Amino acid sequence: MFLELQNLYFEDLTLGRTERMSKTVSSSDIVGFAELTGDRNPIHLSQHFAAKTPFGGRIAHGLYTASLISAVLGTRLPGPGAVYISQTLNFRAPVRIDDTVEVEVRVVELIPERFRARLSCFCTVKGEVVLDGEAWVKVPSSGARKVASP
């Protein structure tokens, strides 16, 4: 799953601009995330262990789901060159193997003097919000592309 890169500059952003993506979570995604991060909590990796929890089975790491937001920010809205400043995350429901997570990121505030954008972020599964929050990003300016003449 690689999103096509879209290069947006601060001047391209408008309130309400939205980007979406979807990703179906696989067992290998969860195992790979555990290997990458070192988070080997058995609720993510062991069906035997997870079956005894209130979730009744394995669930994806919450930050795996959050990383899908990062994929949108880094590739589509605003895209390459954007720098994360902060992110709030509210985990509302578990994400399970074979769930398709729909990610939506929307511009809700622009601060032109600082080239900053506040973005609302939602992840849903079958219409239910599983994660929401807000991100602040610093966005490259198209003016920064101009090269001063010698």
Side-chain angles (χ1 to χ4, degrees):
M1 169 210 81
F2 285 107
L3 296 175
E4 181 180 333
L5 295 179
Q6 173 173 268
N7 252 348
L8 296 175
Y9 293 97
F10 185 85
E11 294 78 9
D12 299 322
L13 301 182
T14 56
L15 293 178
R17 183 166 188 148
T18 303
E19 284 289 335
R20 294 176 182 86
M21 66 161 274
S22 64
K23 171 75 171 92
T24 300
V25 179
S26 70
S27 179
S28 63
D29 291 332
I30 294 171
V31 171
F33 192 83
E35 289 174 349
L36 182 68
T37 64
D39 180 350
R40 298 181 308 135
N41 183 334
I43 201 164
H44 308 302
L45 303 173
S46 168
Q47 181 58 33
H48 177 74
F49 177 90
K52 298 174 188 174
T53 72
F55 298 111
R58 290 172 60 199
I59 59 171
H61 301 76
L63 288 180
Y64 170 83
T65 304
S67 73
L68 301 175
I69 294 169
S70 179
V72 174
L73 298 181
T75 61
R76 305 290 302 159
L77 180 62
V83 176
Y84 247 131
I85 303 298
S86 68
Q87 173 81 56
T88 60
L89 300 170
N90 303 297
F91 299 99
R92 307 288 184 190
V95 172
R96 302 173 188 283
I97 296 168
D98 295 327
D99 279 351
T100 299
V101 179
E102 305 287 339
V103 181
E104 178 181 293
V105 174
R106 176 178 292 128
V107 177
V108 295
E109 184 178 356
L110 296 168
I111 303 178
E113 59 275 5
R114 298 187 71 201
F115 303 109
R116 302 267 169 105
R118 182 169 57 97
L119 309 166
S120 67
C121 308
F122 292 91
C123 296
T124 60
V125 172
K126 298 178 188 165
E128 178 186 8
V129 175
V130 296
L131 184 155
D132 62 31
E134 288 189 340
W136 280 98
V137 293
K138 183 171 175 61
V139 185
S141 169
S142 61
R145 292 183 292 177
K146 298 175 184 168
V147 178
S149 53

